Amino acid sequence: MGFKSLVDRDGSGTVTIDKQHLKLDGLVAEDGSIKEAEAHVQRVGHGSYLVRFPEGGEVQSLNELVGRA
């Protein structure tokens, strides 16, 4: 995944995620449209953010995510 641009969208910073990556997580419908989903965004350090799409309404801990791809 290459660099993306941070853009202002109605007063919030927005960065896109490649559709091919969203498809791996079931976030693309059969017709190719992006499914709407709740996202959890966490600042983890200077200039670093973690975006997670909760499964079953729960956000996995960072320890649970290690090694999962």
Side-chain angles (χ1 to χ4, degrees):
M1 181 182 293
F3 285 97
K4 299 290 183 172
S5 296
L6 176 66
V7 297
D8 183 317
R9 189 158 290 152
D10 298 324
S12 292
T14 302
V15 176
T16 61
I17 300 172
D18 290 338
K19 194 175 198 177
Q20 66 192 32
H21 296 292
L22 295 172
K23 191 172 186 175
L24 293 172
D25 294 313
L27 295 169
V28 178
E30 286 187 27
D31 67 1
S33 63
I34 304 297
K35 295 179 182 179
E36 289 192 16
E38 293 288 319
H40 182 271
V41 180
Q42 180 179 1
R43 185 175 185 271
V44 294
H46 180 79
S48 300
Y49 300 84
L50 174 64
V51 179
R52 291 177 278 182
F53 295 94
E55 296 176 16
E58 289 193 30
V59 177
Q60 292 181 317
S61 72
L62 293 178
N63 289 335
E64 292 173 314
L65 294 173
V66 174
R68 247 184 114 186

